[in-house]
Amino acid sequence: MKTQAQFPSYRIRLLHDVWRILVLPTISCYAFLRLADVPLGWLSPLCYSCFLVAWGYAKGIYYDRIHASRAAEMNARMVPRAKGRLPGNVDVLFKMMKAFRTSYVLDVYRELFEEHQSSVLNLRILWKDQIITMDEAHAKFVLSTGFEHFWRGRAQKERMETFLGQGIFNRDDDMWKMHRSFTRPFFARERISDFDTFERHTSRALAILSTHSFSTHPIEVQDLFARFSLDAASSFLFGATLDTLSHPLPLPSSTSSPTTASATPLPTTQSDATASAFRTFTAGFESAQRIATTRARLGHYFWPLAELFEDKSLAAQRDIRRWLDPLVERALAERCVVEGEEKAGEEEEERKTFLQHLVDSTEDKTLIRDQLLNVLLASRDTTACLLTFTTYLLALHPDVMVRLRTEVLDRCGSSRTPTWDDVRAMKYLRAVLNETLRLFPPVPLNVRESRAAPCTLPRPAHPYTGDTGAPYYMPPETVIMYFPLLIQRDPVLWGPDADAFDPDRWIDPARLAKFTGNPMMFTPFSAGPRICLGQNYALNEVSFFLVRLLQRFDGVSLAPDAQPAESRPPAEWKARPGRQAHERVWPAAAITLFVKGGLWVRFHQAP
Ligand code: HEM
Ligand SMILES: *[C@@H]1O[C@H](CO)[C@@H](O)[C@H](O)[C@H]1NC(C)=O
């Protein structure tokens, strides 16, 4: 493994952009005014402004022509443009900014598709092409059949560079391939079904739930699940138990409402230095995710302006490294010792943590740290999100709760530790998880960028306009956003009850056939060469946890009394289409999906 060159600073890129956008027209304008013999007196600022606008339009027309002729050569048509009311579609931009604060998750996009009666659109905000699609034919092309035409892209990498660095999420091509082929074997069956580790962390989490349920206190489980999943992942990855479950939990209706999966409150107990470095790590980890989300929302041109004098991610990066670096250094040092001794046997190889596995292949500290952090990010909030929304849906559907509990008790009894075979045998459990992942995919939207050569997007599968026309032209070096959440709730694909939580759709053969005939309509773990590596690990962990939970508790209900007021679903949602009319919590999207203000519930202990 080798270190790749650092990504150039966003400030340099911004300068380059300013040069491109302003300097050339300015010089041209000056030359034009001189040549045309226009006196450069009081009129020139006006002339200059007009010239700039005309330049922008001319450039737009020029590029439109080029793209139109390329599209014609490829027998493709242009993606329909979002029709805003103001120049540069700035009204669409403002609407989206507002929607992030007030609307149901992704509803603003659903509305745009509906308004334009098209499953693919070019938002074209500030004259910059940006494709959004809710068509499963396009998702399939981007992720799988047309994989080579796309990459994560420079814009995304730039936003994440100080956080994810050279890890698997933040790289393409050779570096990504290297990470992928190297990480993959680690997810072998023996390792991902390490039920002893699951048991250790599960019993801690359940002990906390039990304490609360005795006193019928409401408890915030999103935060609890985030800690559970972080503790389990850290055992799996570093072999170190972080034990975040031992820190104090948030209090009901506390004034600080979490904005990510777990805004872990900084506890004041425990004084030892590692614990405090770890708490700073968690805070840094969360703050880095928030910064990445804000940058994505501000967009490619505006976020570098907002951070012109201060790279906001550096503080988070420092806190992350303070805790992670010593861990990596220790592993590297220990490796040297082992090397002196005999070569490790196969069994020992099997017991190695991901960190030990990494230090065997490279001495590059940065690379090891970045990769650890990437896999930690991949695993923590996604797994916690699945547990959170399963709990939410079980609270809304007591009948499903009863049926699932019956399956658990029939198979494992009320106290036996579940095995891998048990988990595989429980079909209803898997149906409940699939149905939760369908309605609340932990990664609800995702982004790619087309490479330097233009290509075409296949004809939409979605019959929005009864579309039977030509494929669409995909402009080069352009962002494309797709929405698993919208695809997985599309009535055209799933039928009129698409918004309803009904695990039976995964059991009834006639309904299941719809999905087996078109697997792209359900991709919570993505698809193609970059499909999730941790899928089975996550499903094992969550299944194990739920079996243990249902052995002990026979009921769960929402605790709206504890929900922070500003995180209750707004009244105007009641009149809107889809799930939002009935939703009892506020699902929101950062890098992953989460419940605004946390999920407050009461569990009922089984007699
Ligand atoms: C319910 C839980 C999970 C869900 C829904 C989920 C979903 C996803 C999705 C949608 C992607 C694709 C992201 C993209 O390409 O932009 C992904 C990638 C990935 N996931 Fe997961 N994930 C989960 C749990 C895990 C866990 C527990 C691990 C590891 C312990 C993990 C490791 C990875 C890795 C390493 C990648 C990157 C693969 C690549 O880029 O080649 N995931 N996951
Ligand atoms: C759940 O979804 C997966 C696809 O991710 C599918 O292969 C499996 O058959 C489904 N199982 C059940 C029981 O719903």
Side-chain angles (χ1 to χ4, degrees):
M1 286 204 218
K2 250 187 26 231
T3 309
Q4 230 174 29
Q6 276 284 312
F7 221 70
S9 150
Y10 62 83
R11 293 187 183 98
I12 293 174
R13 194 265 298 168
L14 188 68
L15 266 180
H16 183 85
D17 285 346
V18 169
W19 169 265
R20 244 191 22 205
I21 295 169
L22 286 183
V23 176
L24 201 58
T26 305
I27 294 170
S28 316
C29 179
Y30 182 76
F32 173 79
L33 295 178
R34 291 306 288 262
L35 280 178
D37 246 355
V38 178
L40 295 168
W42 62 273
L43 247 185
S44 61
L46 187 68
C47 279
Y48 176 61
S49 318
C50 293
F51 193 92
L52 261 193
V53 172
W55 179 277
Y57 267 97
K59 208 168 94 178
I61 291 169
Y62 172 72
Y63 279 111
D64 283 354
R65 285 255 164 119
I66 290 189
H67 286 311
S69 84
R70 279 200 199 147
E73 276 165 33
M74 297 165 90
N75 283 323
R77 51 194 167 141
M78 304 305 272
V79 172
R81 284 189 186 167
K83 293 187 200 66
R85 277 171 287 109
L86 297 176
N89 276 348
V90 283
D91 55 321
V92 178
L93 176 67
F94 289 143
K95 195 176 152 174
M96 282 172 30
M97 299 288 242
K98 185 169 171 238
F100 289 133
R101 282 178 284 115
T102 57
S103 296
Y104 188 73
V105 60
L106 304 196
D107 198 52
V108 66
Y109 297 107
R110 185 201 56 78
E111 217 173 58
L112 277 168
F113 291 121
E114 193 181 270
E115 233 173 78
H116 293 81
Q117 287 292 299
S118 174
S119 58
V120 56
L121 286 175
N122 183 351
L123 286 182
R124 191 102 171 155
I125 285 171
L126 297 175
W127 300 278
K128 193 171 165 54
D129 286 337
Q130 185 189 352
I131 311 295
I132 58 171
T133 179
M134 58 163 287
D135 206 290
E136 83 272 21
H138 299 155
K140 179 177 180 177
F141 184 71
V142 170
L143 292 174
S144 160
T145 47
F147 182 73
E148 71 280 6
H149 295 295
F150 299 88
W151 59 346
R152 298 192 79 83
R154 286 166 304 183
Q156 200 178 166
K157 273 182 254 181
E158 186 187 65
R159 291 198 297 269
M160 299 280 211
E161 191 63 19
T162 42
F163 177 30
L164 298 178
Q166 307 178 44
I168 189 165
F169 271 121
N170 215 33
R171 286 294 177 265
D172 290 294
D173 302 319
D174 289 347
M175 187 75 169
W176 162 73
K177 262 188 212 143
M178 183 272 293
H179 274 311
R180 178 106 190 160
S181 62
F182 185 73
T183 304
R184 203 188 168 87
F186 191 71
F187 287 85
R189 193 199 126 177
E190 298 69 42
R191 195 134 17 199
I192 60 169
S193 41
D194 181 2
F195 283 15
D196 290 344
T197 309
F198 293 160
E199 174 69 19
R200 192 148 32 93
H201 299 295
T202 302
S203 61
R204 296 226 43 172
L206 293 186
I208 295 172
L209 282 181
S210 292
T211 328
H212 278 253
S213 68
F214 276 133
S215 49
T216 67
H217 271 355
I219 180 167
E220 204 285 271
V221 288
Q222 179 166 256
D223 177 79
L224 184 82
F225 295 156
R227 297 176 193 215
F228 162 70
S229 114
L230 186 60
D231 285 359
S234 60
S235 292
F236 177 65
L237 298 173
F238 329 123
T241 305
L242 295 177
D243 205 16
T244 55
L245 282 169
S246 67
H247 303 158
L249 298 182
L251 298 170
S253 251
S254 60
T255 41
S256 65
S257 64
T259 48
T260 62
S262 91
T264 313
L266 296 183
T268 45
T269 56
Q270 283 203 34
S271 56
D272 103 71
T274 16
S276 117
F278 168 69
R279 284 193 300 271
T280 334
F281 165 79
T282 321
F285 188 66
E286 284 170 356
S287 139
Q289 288 183 61
R290 267 195 305 275
I291 292 163
T293 309
T294 309
R295 287 177 173 182
R297 279 178 193 171
L298 284 174
H300 199 51
Y301 292 128
F302 290 120
W303 83 255
L305 281 175
E307 296 188 34
L308 198 56
F309 301 108
E310 190 200 359
D311 183 337
K312 296 210 171 110
S313 67
L314 288 181
Q317 185 193 54
R318 195 195 51 226
D319 291 340
I320 288 171
R321 291 187 179 173
R322 194 185 310 155
W323 181 76
L324 213 47
D325 280 350
L327 217 72
V328 174
E329 275 154 24
R330 200 170 342 123
L332 276 168
E334 277 165 12
R335 182 193 70 148
C336 297
V337 176
V338 175
E339 246 169 26
E341 295 162 19
E342 239 165 272
K343 187 124 187 66
E346 204 165 292
E347 200 176 309
E348 201 158 320
E349 200 63 43
E350 202 128 272
R351 252 182 298 137
K352 275 190 181 157
T353 64
F354 188 53
L355 177 55
Q356 288 165 330
H357 187 67
L358 281 171
V359 296
D360 277 349
S361 63
T362 177
E363 288 176 27
D364 188 333
K365 219 177 82 178
T366 312
L367 203 58
I368 298 172
R369 183 231 295 135
D370 288 352
Q371 183 63 348
L372 274 181
L373 199 61
N374 275 249
V375 182
L376 202 61
L377 174 76
S379 66
R380 188 187 89 148
D381 289 351
T382 47
T383 313
C385 172
L386 176 54
L387 279 172
T388 301
F389 282 97
T390 309
T391 308
Y392 168 63
L393 289 166
L394 288 178
L396 290 192
H397 301 272
D399 50 322
V400 176
M401 172 89 182
V402 169
R403 195 164 147 199
L404 182 58
R405 187 156 188 270
T406 309
E407 184 183 65
V408 166
L409 296 184
D410 284 353
R411 175 82 201 190
C412 307
S414 62
S415 62
R416 184 168 65 75
T417 316
T419 64
W420 191 70
D421 285 328
D422 292 329
V423 166
R424 269 173 51 101
M426 284 186 270
K427 291 279 173 282
Y428 193 65
L429 173 59
R430 184 63 203 266
V432 168
L433 292 180
N434 274 12
E435 186 65 347
T436 306
L437 287 165
R438 182 181 74 81
L439 289 174
F440 297 101
V443 183
L445 80 161
N446 211 338
V447 184
R448 292 288 192 268
E449 194 178 304
S450 54
R451 291 182 187 252
C455 62
T456 58
L457 295 174
R459 183 160 59 79
H462 197 287
Y464 240 136
T465 41
D467 199 314
T468 50
Y472 283 114
Y473 174 76
M474 177 72 211
E477 300 186 337
T478 299
V479 164
I480 180 165
M481 211 187 263
Y482 58 96
F483 305 93
L485 184 139
L486 296 183
I487 295 173
Q488 291 174 183
R489 293 184 185 188
D490 188 347
V492 168
L493 297 169
W494 298 89
D497 67 343
D499 278 317
F501 175 70
D502 180 9
D504 272 321
R505 77 174 84 233
W506 296 98
I507 288 171
D508 174 13
R511 289 160 86 197
L512 188 59
K514 266 192 199 162
F515 160 72
T516 35
N518 179 13
M520 277 311 289
M521 64 196 248
F522 178 67
T523 54
F525 294 100
S526 193
R530 289 195 93 134
I531 195 171
C532 177
L533 280 171
Q535 169 170 355
N536 292 323
Y537 171 79
L539 289 170
N540 279 340
E541 179 183 316
V542 168
S543 302
F544 184 96
F545 185 90
L546 287 172
V547 170
R548 286 313 230 174
L549 181 83
L550 293 178
Q551 284 175 325
R552 201 183 292 191
F553 299 95
D554 61 2
V556 56
S557 54
L558 299 180
D561 46 316
Q563 194 76 30
E566 69 279 10
S567 70
R568 297 197 184 116
E572 63 263 27
W573 286 10
K574 291 255 183 291
R576 316 255 324 142
R579 278 196 67 90
Q580 59 188 312
H582 313 286
E583 215 73 271
R584 305 264 297 276
V585 295
W586 189 325
I591 294 179
T592 50
L593 199 65
F594 66 98
V595 175
K596 225 177 185 171
L599 181 65
W600 292 89
V601 293
R602 290 188 174 82
F603 275 101
H604 186 263
Q605 196 109 351

Short mmCIF file of all heavy atoms in Angstrom, two decimals, residues 152 168-169 176 180 187 236 375 378-379 382-383 386 437 442-443 446 448 524-526 529-534 537-538, ligand 1:
data_model
loop_
_atom_site.label_atom_id
_atom_site.label_comp_id
_atom_site.label_asym_id
_atom_site.label_seq_id
_atom_site.Cartn_x
_atom_site.Cartn_y
_atom_site.Cartn_z
N ARG A 152 -16.98 8.78 -7.32
CA ARG A 152 -17.52 9.59 -6.23
C ARG A 152 -17.35 11.05 -6.58
O ARG A 152 -18.13 11.89 -6.17
CB ARG A 152 -16.83 9.25 -4.91
CG ARG A 152 -17.05 7.81 -4.51
CD ARG A 152 -16.62 7.59 -3.09
NE ARG A 152 -17.64 8.06 -2.18
CZ ARG A 152 -18.69 7.35 -1.83
NH1 ARG A 152 -18.85 6.15 -2.29
NH2 ARG A 152 -19.58 7.84 -1.00
N ILE A 168 -11.67 4.16 2.20
CA ILE A 168 -12.41 3.52 1.11
C ILE A 168 -13.55 4.38 0.56
O ILE A 168 -13.82 4.40 -0.63
CB ILE A 168 -12.95 2.13 1.56
CG1 ILE A 168 -13.54 1.35 0.38
CG2 ILE A 168 -13.97 2.26 2.67
CD1 ILE A 168 -13.76 -0.12 0.66
N PHE A 169 -14.21 5.15 1.46
CA PHE A 169 -15.34 5.97 1.02
C PHE A 169 -14.91 7.14 0.17
O PHE A 169 -15.69 7.70 -0.56
CB PHE A 169 -16.07 6.56 2.24
CG PHE A 169 -17.13 5.66 2.75
CD1 PHE A 169 -17.10 5.20 4.04
CD2 PHE A 169 -18.17 5.28 1.92
CE1 PHE A 169 -18.08 4.36 4.51
CE2 PHE A 169 -19.15 4.44 2.39
CZ PHE A 169 -19.11 3.98 3.69
N TRP A 176 -9.18 2.81 -4.30
CA TRP A 176 -10.41 2.18 -3.82
C TRP A 176 -10.33 0.67 -3.98
O TRP A 176 -10.65 -0.09 -3.07
CB TRP A 176 -11.63 2.73 -4.56
CG TRP A 176 -12.82 1.84 -4.42
CD1 TRP A 176 -13.57 1.67 -3.28
CD2 TRP A 176 -13.34 0.95 -5.40
NE1 TRP A 176 -14.55 0.73 -3.51
CE2 TRP A 176 -14.43 0.27 -4.81
CE3 TRP A 176 -13.02 0.66 -6.72
CZ2 TRP A 176 -15.18 -0.68 -5.49
CZ3 TRP A 176 -13.77 -0.28 -7.40
CH2 TRP A 176 -14.83 -0.93 -6.79
N ARG A 180 -10.70 -2.11 -1.14
CA ARG A 180 -11.82 -3.04 -1.26
C ARG A 180 -11.32 -4.49 -1.19
O ARG A 180 -11.83 -5.30 -0.42
CB ARG A 180 -12.53 -2.76 -2.58
CG ARG A 180 -13.68 -3.67 -2.87
CD ARG A 180 -15.00 -2.98 -2.70
NE ARG A 180 -16.08 -3.96 -2.76
CZ ARG A 180 -17.29 -3.78 -2.29
NH1 ARG A 180 -17.60 -2.63 -1.72
NH2 ARG A 180 -18.20 -4.71 -2.36
N PHE A 187 -14.43 -9.63 6.17
CA PHE A 187 -15.84 -9.84 6.48
C PHE A 187 -16.27 -11.28 6.21
O PHE A 187 -17.38 -11.55 5.77
CB PHE A 187 -16.71 -8.86 5.68
CG PHE A 187 -16.61 -7.45 6.20
CD1 PHE A 187 -15.59 -6.61 5.79
CD2 PHE A 187 -17.52 -6.97 7.13
CE1 PHE A 187 -15.48 -5.32 6.28
CE2 PHE A 187 -17.42 -5.69 7.62
CZ PHE A 187 -16.39 -4.86 7.20
N PHE A 236 -14.99 -5.08 17.15
CA PHE A 236 -14.77 -5.76 15.87
C PHE A 236 -13.54 -5.20 15.15
O PHE A 236 -12.73 -5.95 14.62
CB PHE A 236 -16.04 -5.57 15.04
CG PHE A 236 -16.02 -6.13 13.66
CD1 PHE A 236 -15.94 -7.50 13.44
CD2 PHE A 236 -16.12 -5.29 12.55
CE1 PHE A 236 -15.95 -8.02 12.14
CE2 PHE A 236 -16.13 -5.80 11.26
CZ PHE A 236 -16.04 -7.17 11.05
N VAL A 375 -14.39 2.83 8.05
CA VAL A 375 -15.24 1.68 8.34
C VAL A 375 -16.08 1.95 9.59
O VAL A 375 -17.21 1.52 9.70
CB VAL A 375 -14.40 0.39 8.44
CG1 VAL A 375 -15.29 -0.81 8.70
CG2 VAL A 375 -13.62 0.17 7.16
N ALA A 378 -18.90 3.94 8.36
CA ALA A 378 -19.81 3.09 7.59
C ALA A 378 -20.71 2.29 8.50
O ALA A 378 -21.86 2.03 8.18
CB ALA A 378 -19.01 2.14 6.70
N SER A 379 -20.20 1.92 9.66
CA SER A 379 -20.96 0.98 10.48
C SER A 379 -21.81 1.62 11.57
O SER A 379 -22.86 1.11 11.88
CB SER A 379 -20.00 -0.03 11.12
OG SER A 379 -19.16 0.63 12.03
N THR A 382 -25.41 3.82 10.46
CA THR A 382 -26.29 2.99 9.64
C THR A 382 -26.96 1.91 10.48
O THR A 382 -28.18 1.74 10.44
CB THR A 382 -25.49 2.31 8.51
OG1 THR A 382 -24.31 1.75 9.07
CG2 THR A 382 -25.12 3.28 7.42
N THR A 383 -26.15 1.21 11.27
CA THR A 383 -26.69 0.12 12.09
C THR A 383 -27.64 0.69 13.15
O THR A 383 -28.73 0.14 13.38
CB THR A 383 -25.55 -0.66 12.76
OG1 THR A 383 -24.55 -0.93 11.78
CG2 THR A 383 -26.03 -1.94 13.36
N LEU A 386 -31.01 1.54 11.62
CA LEU A 386 -31.89 0.39 11.42
C LEU A 386 -32.57 -0.01 12.73
O LEU A 386 -33.77 -0.25 12.77
CB LEU A 386 -31.10 -0.77 10.82
CG LEU A 386 -31.86 -2.09 10.64
CD1 LEU A 386 -33.13 -1.90 9.83
CD2 LEU A 386 -30.97 -3.14 9.96
N LEU A 437 -35.96 -1.36 6.33
CA LEU A 437 -34.93 -0.81 5.42
C LEU A 437 -35.56 -0.24 4.16
O LEU A 437 -35.01 0.67 3.53
CB LEU A 437 -33.94 -1.90 5.04
CG LEU A 437 -32.95 -2.34 6.12
CD1 LEU A 437 -32.27 -3.65 5.74
CD2 LEU A 437 -31.90 -1.25 6.36
N PRO A 442 -31.15 3.62 5.73
CA PRO A 442 -30.20 4.46 6.46
C PRO A 442 -29.41 5.41 5.56
O PRO A 442 -29.02 6.49 6.00
CB PRO A 442 -29.27 3.44 7.11
CG PRO A 442 -30.12 2.23 7.31
CD PRO A 442 -31.02 2.19 6.11
N VAL A 443 -29.19 5.06 4.29
CA VAL A 443 -28.59 6.00 3.35
C VAL A 443 -29.68 6.37 2.34
O VAL A 443 -29.84 5.73 1.32
CB VAL A 443 -27.37 5.37 2.63
CG1 VAL A 443 -26.69 6.38 1.71
CG2 VAL A 443 -26.37 4.83 3.66
N ASN A 446 -27.92 9.50 -2.33
CA ASN A 446 -26.50 9.34 -2.56
C ASN A 446 -26.09 10.10 -3.81
O ASN A 446 -26.94 10.47 -4.61
CB ASN A 446 -26.14 7.86 -2.65
CG ASN A 446 -24.74 7.58 -2.15
OD1 ASN A 446 -23.89 8.47 -2.11
ND2 ASN A 446 -24.49 6.35 -1.78
N ARG A 448 -23.11 10.70 -7.05
CA ARG A 448 -21.95 10.35 -7.85
C ARG A 448 -21.68 11.48 -8.83
O ARG A 448 -22.50 12.39 -8.97
CB ARG A 448 -22.19 9.06 -8.63
CG ARG A 448 -22.30 7.81 -7.76
CD ARG A 448 -20.95 7.42 -7.18
NE ARG A 448 -20.97 6.10 -6.59
CZ ARG A 448 -21.24 5.82 -5.31
NH1 ARG A 448 -21.52 6.81 -4.46
NH2 ARG A 448 -21.24 4.59 -4.86
N PRO A 524 -31.08 -0.95 -0.10
CA PRO A 524 -30.63 -0.21 1.08
C PRO A 524 -29.12 -0.35 1.30
O PRO A 524 -28.51 0.51 1.95
CB PRO A 524 -31.40 -0.85 2.23
CG PRO A 524 -31.78 -2.20 1.74
CD PRO A 524 -31.97 -2.06 0.26
N PHE A 525 -28.52 -1.41 0.78
CA PHE A 525 -27.08 -1.61 0.93
C PHE A 525 -26.34 -1.26 -0.36
O PHE A 525 -25.21 -1.67 -0.56
CB PHE A 525 -26.78 -3.05 1.34
CG PHE A 525 -27.30 -3.41 2.70
CD1 PHE A 525 -28.49 -4.13 2.85
CD2 PHE A 525 -26.63 -3.01 3.85
CE1 PHE A 525 -28.98 -4.45 4.11
CE2 PHE A 525 -27.12 -3.33 5.12
CZ PHE A 525 -28.30 -4.05 5.25
N SER A 526 -27.00 -0.51 -1.23
CA SER A 526 -26.44 -0.15 -2.52
C SER A 526 -26.35 -1.37 -3.43
O SER A 526 -26.94 -2.41 -3.13
CB SER A 526 -25.09 0.53 -2.34
OG SER A 526 -24.69 1.14 -3.53
N PRO A 529 -20.35 -2.79 -7.89
CA PRO A 529 -19.01 -3.01 -7.33
C PRO A 529 -18.77 -2.35 -5.97
O PRO A 529 -17.89 -2.78 -5.23
CB PRO A 529 -18.07 -2.39 -8.38
CG PRO A 529 -18.85 -2.41 -9.65
CD PRO A 529 -20.29 -2.25 -9.26
N ARG A 530 -19.55 -1.30 -5.63
CA ARG A 530 -19.34 -0.65 -4.34
C ARG A 530 -20.43 -1.01 -3.33
O ARG A 530 -20.67 -0.27 -2.37
CB ARG A 530 -19.29 0.88 -4.51
CG ARG A 530 -18.04 1.36 -5.21
CD ARG A 530 -17.86 2.86 -5.02
NE ARG A 530 -17.02 3.14 -3.87
CZ ARG A 530 -16.01 4.03 -3.88
NH1 ARG A 530 -15.74 4.73 -4.95
NH2 ARG A 530 -15.30 4.23 -2.79
N ILE A 531 -21.04 -2.16 -3.51
CA ILE A 531 -22.08 -2.58 -2.58
C ILE A 531 -21.48 -2.69 -1.16
O ILE A 531 -20.28 -2.94 -1.00
CB ILE A 531 -22.70 -3.92 -3.03
CG1 ILE A 531 -24.00 -4.20 -2.30
CG2 ILE A 531 -21.71 -5.07 -2.87
CD1 ILE A 531 -24.78 -5.40 -2.87
N CYS A 532 -22.33 -2.47 -0.17
CA CYS A 532 -21.88 -2.47 1.23
C CYS A 532 -21.12 -3.76 1.58
O CYS A 532 -21.58 -4.85 1.30
CB CYS A 532 -23.10 -2.35 2.14
SG CYS A 532 -22.70 -2.43 3.89
N LEU A 533 -19.98 -3.59 2.24
CA LEU A 533 -19.21 -4.77 2.65
C LEU A 533 -19.74 -5.33 3.97
O LEU A 533 -19.50 -6.48 4.30
CB LEU A 533 -17.74 -4.40 2.82
CG LEU A 533 -16.92 -4.32 1.53
CD1 LEU A 533 -15.55 -3.73 1.81
CD2 LEU A 533 -16.78 -5.70 0.91
N GLY A 534 -20.44 -4.50 4.73
CA GLY A 534 -20.83 -4.91 6.07
C GLY A 534 -22.26 -5.41 6.18
O GLY A 534 -22.77 -5.60 7.29
N TYR A 537 -22.78 -8.55 8.32
CA TYR A 537 -22.38 -8.23 9.68
C TYR A 537 -23.49 -7.41 10.36
O TYR A 537 -23.92 -7.71 11.48
CB TYR A 537 -21.06 -7.46 9.67
CG TYR A 537 -20.67 -6.91 11.02
CD1 TYR A 537 -20.09 -7.72 11.98
CD2 TYR A 537 -20.88 -5.56 11.32
CE1 TYR A 537 -19.74 -7.21 13.22
CE2 TYR A 537 -20.54 -5.04 12.56
CZ TYR A 537 -19.96 -5.87 13.50
OH TYR A 537 -19.63 -5.36 14.72
N ALA A 538 -23.96 -6.38 9.67
CA ALA A 538 -24.99 -5.51 10.24
C ALA A 538 -26.27 -6.29 10.52
O ALA A 538 -26.87 -6.16 11.59
CB ALA A 538 -25.27 -4.35 9.29
C1 HEM B 1 -27.89 -1.37 8.32
C2 HEM B 1 -26.63 -1.12 8.20
C3 HEM B 1 -25.93 -0.66 6.95
C4 HEM B 1 -26.43 -0.08 5.80
C5 HEM B 1 -27.89 0.25 5.48
C6 HEM B 1 -25.31 0.17 4.92
C7 HEM B 1 -25.43 0.76 3.67
C8 HEM B 1 -24.36 1.03 2.84
C9 HEM B 1 -24.46 1.71 1.58
C10 HEM B 1 -25.75 2.27 0.96
C11 HEM B 1 -23.21 1.78 1.05
C12 HEM B 1 -22.80 2.43 -0.28
C13 HEM B 1 -22.31 3.82 -0.07
C14 HEM B 1 -21.82 4.44 -1.35
O1 HEM B 1 -21.29 3.73 -2.21
O2 HEM B 1 -21.95 5.65 -1.51
C15 HEM B 1 -22.31 1.13 1.98
C16 HEM B 1 -20.94 0.99 1.79
C17 HEM B 1 -20.08 0.41 2.71
N1 HEM B 1 -20.44 -0.19 3.90
FE1 HEM B 1 -22.31 -0.33 4.65
N2 HEM B 1 -24.17 -0.26 5.52
C18 HEM B 1 -24.49 -0.76 6.76
C19 HEM B 1 -23.62 -1.29 7.69
C20 HEM B 1 -22.26 -1.48 7.51
C21 HEM B 1 -21.36 -2.04 8.49
C22 HEM B 1 -21.78 -2.55 9.85
C23 HEM B 1 -20.11 -2.01 7.94
C24 HEM B 1 -18.79 -2.46 8.51
C25 HEM B 1 -18.59 -2.99 9.66
C26 HEM B 1 -20.23 -1.43 6.61
C27 HEM B 1 -19.18 -1.24 5.74
C28 HEM B 1 -19.28 -0.62 4.51
C29 HEM B 1 -18.13 -0.30 3.69
C30 HEM B 1 -16.67 -0.60 4.00
C31 HEM B 1 -18.63 0.35 2.54
C32 HEM B 1 -17.83 0.93 1.38
C33 HEM B 1 -17.80 0.01 0.20
C34 HEM B 1 -17.08 0.62 -0.99
O3 HEM B 1 -17.08 1.86 -1.17
O4 HEM B 1 -16.52 -0.16 -1.76
N3 HEM B 1 -21.55 -1.12 6.39
N4 HEM B 1 -23.03 0.67 3.06
#
